[in-house]
Amino acid sequence: MQEKNRGLALFTLLIYILLLSPLLIIAATSFEPGTIMKFPPQGFSLKWYENIFKQSMFMETFKISILVSLVGNLFALLIGIPAAYALSRFDFKGKEAWNSLFISPILIPGIVMGFTMLKYLIVAYQLPMMTALFIGHTVIMLPFTIRVIASSLSNFDFSIEEAALSLGSSRLKTFFIVVLPNIKSGILAAIIIAFLDSFNNVEISVFMTGPGVSTFPIQMLSYLENHFDPTLAAISVLLMLLTMVLLFLIERLLGLSYFTKR
């Protein structure tokens, strides 16, 4: 039994090494003082981190990505909270079909979704590129919003809502006073998860961007076409730190058990 446990521990360690070694290599190359990414680095320098903030293209596209993620998140919440509530609270005809419809954006390949949105939103309906970008990111955030909030609602005791209704409160007032405060941690977690998915999205954004409108990940790809310096490694390290902070917040708000129940 002891040998079996040692074997399992060794196998687990190898898996962790396999998963973490690329991240560690990227982190190490971000400190390379030369103009080409090298591993191991030939020295230590923070100049490529400084270079990120000197590049106006990174600063502008970063602002656009933040704006798109926040606005898309807002619309995803406006649709997702009522949808998650209806799917969790009521039994109605076509419930499974609606649930499948809301989840479908994460089942369809991103390239297919992006090309479809390009064909209809921009080519057919001739929407402004920024508007199409907002719509595209709202669509990809919606499944995460609904899924997380529905998981939070699954732990809510709806008899409390029924008690408020029996005491004369309207359904709308009961929702805002009784239901919403009890699922606020789930809503915050949904905002963070959807934000991460939107901010890092490439498949949809690559079809929804053009002259004057680009997102941060797309700008990183464009930069890579002409440069091979450690700037992108430095950006990757900062994005990894941002992701770790946000995932820590999710864990503190809900815990990983929420995402394994449904």
Side-chain angles (χ1 to χ4, degrees):
M1 180 65 71
Q2 190 173 9
E3 291 181 359
K4 183 178 180 180
N5 291 337
R6 287 178 181 176
L8 180 60
L10 179 61
F11 179 76
T12 304
L13 178 62
L14 291 174
I15 293 296
Y16 274 109
I17 292 174
L18 181 65
L19 293 175
L20 296 177
S21 55
L23 304 181
L24 296 176
I25 292 172
I26 291 173
T29 56
S30 69
F31 300 108
E32 164 63 40
T35 57
I36 298 177
M37 284 192 287
K38 295 178 182 178
F39 183 82
Q42 304 302 307
F44 182 87
S45 175
L46 294 175
K47 68 178 183 180
W48 300 112
Y49 288 89
E50 296 176 5
N51 187 49
I52 298 171
F53 301 96
K54 292 179 181 178
Q55 301 288 337
S56 60
M57 56 184 174
F58 287 137
M59 294 296 98
E60 292 300 320
T61 54
F62 181 80
K63 293 176 184 177
I64 291 175
S65 286
I66 292 291
L67 177 63
V68 169
S69 297
L70 292 178
V71 173
N73 223 322
L74 175 61
F75 284 107
L77 285 174
L78 291 175
I79 300 172
I81 293 176
Y85 175 76
L87 292 171
S88 301
R89 182 72 175 88
F90 305 109
D91 289 321
F92 52 89
K93 187 177 181 180
K95 178 178 176 179
E96 290 301 321
W98 278 104
N99 186 54
S100 299
L101 176 65
F102 285 129
I103 301 302
S104 62
I106 61 176
L107 302 178
I108 300 173
I111 293 178
V112 175
M113 286 283 294
F115 180 77
T116 303
M117 290 181 181
L118 171 67
K119 181 179 179 181
Y120 288 99
L121 296 181
I122 295 179
V123 177
Y125 296 106
Q126 297 184 344
L127 293 178
M129 196 160 290
M130 199 67 180
T131 303
L133 194 60
F134 284 137
I135 295 174
H137 279 250
T138 299
V139 170
I140 62 174
M141 284 190 275
L142 196 56
F144 298 98
T145 302
I146 293 176
R147 199 68 173 172
V148 175
I149 295 176
S151 295
S152 187
L153 283 167
S154 67
N155 291 328
F156 176 70
D157 186 359
F158 285 104
S159 63
I160 302 174
E161 180 189 28
E162 294 173 359
L165 292 172
S166 66
L167 293 174
S169 178
S170 66
R171 184 170 292 279
L172 185 62
K173 184 179 180 181
T174 301
F175 177 79
F176 282 103
I177 295 179
V178 177
V179 179
L180 213 55
N182 282 281
I183 61 170
K184 60 182 179 181
S185 60
I187 294 174
L188 290 174
I191 291 172
I192 295 173
I193 293 174
F195 176 86
L196 284 173
D197 181 69
S198 171
F199 186 85
N200 295 311
N201 181 269
V202 173
E203 297 91 343
I204 301 293
S205 300
V206 74
F207 290 97
M208 301 283 106
T209 54
V213 178
S214 184
T215 61
F216 195 62
I218 302 304
Q219 188 59 59
M220 290 175 64
L221 290 175
S222 299
Y223 186 86
L224 185 61
E225 291 178 359
N226 303 307
H227 305 83
F228 199 64
D229 58 50
T231 300
L232 292 185
I235 292 175
S236 300
V237 171
L238 295 180
L239 291 179
M240 282 190 284
L241 292 175
L242 174 63
T243 302
M244 288 171 62
V245 170
L246 293 179
L247 290 177
F248 174 77
L249 291 175
I250 293 172
E251 169 61 22
R252 297 294 294 175
L253 289 171
L254 283 182
L256 294 178
S257 60
Y258 265 71
F259 304 101
T260 59
K261 290 177 181 179
R262 293 178 66 85

